[in-house]
Amino acid sequence: MRATIKDVAKLAGVSTATVSNVITRKKYVSPELIEKITKAMEELDYTPNTIARSLKVNRSFRLGLIVPDITNPFFGEIVKYAEKVANKENYHITLCDSDQSVEKERQIINTFIENGVDGIINVAPRMKDRELNRKRPVPMVIVDRPAFETDKNIAFVFADNFEGGNQVAKRFVEQGFRKFLCLAGPVDIVPNAKKRLMGFQEYILDQGFTEADVEFRKCDFSFESGYDVMKEYLQTYKKTEQLAAFVSSDIMAWGAMEAIKDMGLKVPEDIAVIGYDNIFFSNFVHPRLTTIDNPTKQLGAMSMQLLLDTIESKESLKGNYVVLNSKLVERQSDERLPF
Amino acid sequence: MRATIKDVAKLAGVSTATVSNVITRKKYVSPELIEKITKAMEELDYTPNTIARSLKVNRSFRLGLIVPDITNPFFGEIVKYAEKVANKENYHITLCDSDQSVEKERQIINTFIENGVDGIINVAPRMKDRELNRKRPVPMVIVDRPAFETDKNIAFVFADNFEGGNQVAKRFVEQGFRKFLCLAGPVDIVPNAKKRLMGFQEYILDQGFTEADVEFRKCDFSFESGYDVMKEYLQTYKKTEQLAAFVSSDIMAWGAMEAIKDMGLKVPEDIAVIGYDNIFFSNFVHPRLTTIDNPTKQLGAMSMQLLLDTIESKESLKGNYVVLNSKLVERQSDERLPF
DNA sequence: AAGTTACAGTTACACGATTAACTGAAAATG
DNA sequence: CATTTTCAGTTAATCGTGTAACTGTAACTT
């Protein structure tokens, strides 16, 4: 049986209050007693019962973390860095995978609250803004997704995806491309997917190109959809000049590049490709994928820091926006060549 | 403020015991009271305080999960499936990333126990057998790693990596290769890395080949080490016939294939490659990677099921071994060609 | 020296649930 | 009808902490 604070108190010949005081360091205890108590704790292999403490102080030192798919290294990285800063401050993470289902997301949030987490980090939620902003008894920070401003104890940490789409377009235009395609993500469901597309389109149109110069197709961010949609697009494609394709997630871009190869075309010679996310392995697919670096490390670390700061300060989140920068990382998949 | 069981009892005009009984369904309560109490719970938006319950019943319904690197999709998949079965039985997962450090692993286990988890799943631990087998107050199941038999409330779920290495060798030999290389993982630290190598070597030697026919190099399972070690190997490499390379993790194999390309050679024309793990994306690198399917789904699901079963039955784990099968998945990276 | 202050350490209650032991009225028994 | 049994529901203890309120001694004040 595990030793309790009473056992320690008895062995050390003091009251439980004194033992508690040496553990929490909230009151002065004489050096001799500290010594005696410490010895007793060691002898009994005592370790405080966190659950009992949680009940008493009404804090669990646990944080709930929701991701759409832990299998995706993009989310894996966010989790990793978020966890790093949580652990440094002695908080623990309860992870749940929502499988991209709004229903599950809802249910996860509820059980998190029942389980008494001190805060929630919700990565790329699929919920509608309105539901997201519902008042909850614990602070929640939303990662990788903007929303309309609010003050319901919630905050947002995300990269500016519109600007990201912009950068891609700028790059293509500056290199002299004149025919554009965007394989967009699920623009109806994922706000960032829409932002990427809009940033891309707007820049190009601003440069004097016409709607006919910049086509787009809807996908769902998965490898398969990148492959399928690109393949279908290429059925009716006639090469007249080098096409510039913005495939708005790396995983999807890998799929699109496979489709291009399978159709007997080459990247970048026939079709230049730029992705989005900068997943680690994108540096190693062939050709190395030019992409927008989505700052996972900062997304994870900053959102967690923000959450912990508000928990520790006992203040409320105030609907703050933390907007991070993305930058283009130039590799080989988008080289401009004589056609 | 959150409503408590007392508030519900008062509003419904009954004792807290009765409320508790309708929640836990352990005793008969008349339909009328159930009705009244349910209404009261709804009105107050009551939800039981899990922490208080945990303290009382000495169960937290939380499980600790340790992985070496959550960024690696191989571990991501294990986590995903483990979590799925845990949630189905209303358990929650606390995830920690050990960053492959034994010291962190040790510390994580300790805080898990302090935090009162009901059980621990330790994926691919880096600890030595002896420490792993130390008696602990909670059951622990070890995933993706064998160990010497023991009965200290511990169990093991893993795939037979020796047999996996065997299959790779068999495949190569049957296809008619006669010159072999193995880029092995960290054989001193990770038992499975050693098993893969041994399974590979033994089969080949059993077929009458000599030690000179089958070289090996030590790596650390990372992309970079696959790249670096292969590149270095190729410095002194003279092509005299098609080489068969077993690169014992997919991620490492991607690196090795990049190195091969960078050195002006081709896969599989000059060097055939087989990986290990069957990470999702290995189906999509170019050429599609032939590999051993490491059954992540089963590893995750079965280990969790085993853990939950013993927790629910209040029995102890008895050092059981659950050995899963792996199978070769044939793709394009190992095609045998006229040299 | 009497009265006040300071303070190390203890007593006892609270956190929110579960549950063994109890109560008392109705039903069953002979 | 008297006695036992049954059982829905209550009372009160308990889980392992933290902490406000209290105690008693020693030091300080005047």
Side-chain angles (χ1 to χ4, degrees), chain A residues 56-76:
Chain A
K56 182 64 199 181
V57 302
N58 202 25
R59 293 267 300 280
S60 65
F61 295 91
R62 270 182 289 121
L63 277 4
L65 193 41
I66 311 176
V67 294
D69 177 16
I70 190 57
T71 275
N72 185 328
F74 173 65
F75 297 122

Side-chain angles (χ1 to χ4, degrees), chain B residues 163-234:
Chain B
E163 213 274 329
N166 242 296
Q167 282 186 58
V168 175
K170 183 152 177 267
R171 164 85 172 183
F172 277 151
V173 169
E174 283 177 357
Q175 290 200 299
F177 288 96
R178 295 185 310 175
K179 198 84 177 68
F180 309 93
L181 168 68
C182 176
L183 296 200
V187 291
D188 315 311
I189 306 171
V190 181
N192 273 342
K194 185 154 199 173
K195 300 239 171 181
R196 291 174 195 179
L197 173 60
M198 309 243 311
F200 183 71
Q201 285 178 320
E202 273 193 25
Y203 186 91
I204 290 173
L205 295 178
D206 280 357
Q207 296 296 308
F209 292 93
T210 70
E211 301 253 352
D213 298 324
V214 44
E215 291 187 79
F216 80 96
R217 294 281 189 284
K218 252 193 278 178
C219 309
D220 71 3
F221 275 159
S222 73
F223 182 97
E224 291 89 343
S225 88
Y227 184 92
D228 293 343
V229 174
M230 180 57 93
K231 197 154 196 177
E232 201 211 318
Y233 176 84
L234 293 177

Side-chain angles (χ1 to χ4, degrees), chain B residues 16-29:
Chain B
T16 63
T18 309
V19 178
S20 178
N21 281 331
V22 357
I23 295 169
T24 60
R25 304 171 194 286
K26 290 213 174 161
K27 271 188 150 190
Y28 178 90
V29 177

Side-chain angles (χ1 to χ4, degrees), chain A residues 43-107:
Chain A
E43 187 168 338
L44 294 172
D45 201 21
Y46 169 77
T47 164
N49 183 320
T50 323
I51 295 179
R53 171 181 295 164
S54 293
L55 177 60
K56 182 64 199 181
V57 302
N58 202 25
R59 293 267 300 280
S60 65
F61 295 91
R62 270 182 289 121
L63 277 4
L65 193 41
I66 311 176
V67 294
D69 177 16
I70 190 57
T71 275
N72 185 328
F74 173 65
F75 297 122
E77 286 177 27
I78 293 179
V79 170
K80 180 151 194 155
Y81 293 110
E83 199 220 337
K84 264 196 174 53
V85 351
N87 284 356
K88 201 160 36 180
E89 308 209 15
N90 290 317
Y91 279 78
H92 274 237
I93 276 183
T94 300
L95 179 80
C96 285
D97 187 318
S98 72
D99 264 330
Q100 315 202 37
S101 141
V102 176
E103 184 46 51
K104 263 198 186 166
E105 196 179 319
R106 213 172 270 147
Q107 183 222 317

Side-chain angles (χ1 to χ4, degrees), chain B residues 282-319:
Chain B
S282 288
N283 194 15
F284 304 114
V285 292
H286 209 87
R288 295 182 144 85
L289 183 65
T290 294
T291 189
I292 296 287
D293 184 60
N294 212 342
T296 51
K297 184 169 176 173
Q298 291 179 62
L299 286 170
M302 293 196 63
S303 54
M304 181 56 79
Q305 197 62 59
L306 180 59
L307 186 61
L308 291 180
D309 288 350
T310 77
I311 290 173
E312 297 282 345
S313 71
K314 295 189 170 67
E315 284 177 15
S316 273
L317 290 164
K318 300 221 173 50

Side-chain angles (χ1 to χ4, degrees), chain B residues 249-306:
Chain B
S249 96
D250 280 5
I251 291 183
M252 212 158 74
W254 304 350
M257 293 204 298
E258 276 303 300
I260 293 170
K261 280 177 208 157
D262 285 359
M263 294 296 285
L265 298 171
K266 290 191 132 188
V267 178
E269 289 83 346
D270 299 305
I271 302 181
V273 172
I274 294 183
Y276 205 111
D277 282 345
N278 193 24
I279 286 180
F280 179 75
F281 300 124
S282 288
N283 194 15
F284 304 114
V285 292
H286 209 87
R288 295 182 144 85
L289 183 65
T290 294
T291 189
I292 296 287
D293 184 60
N294 212 342
T296 51
K297 184 169 176 173
Q298 291 179 62
L299 286 170
M302 293 196 63
S303 54
M304 181 56 79
Q305 197 62 59
L306 180 59

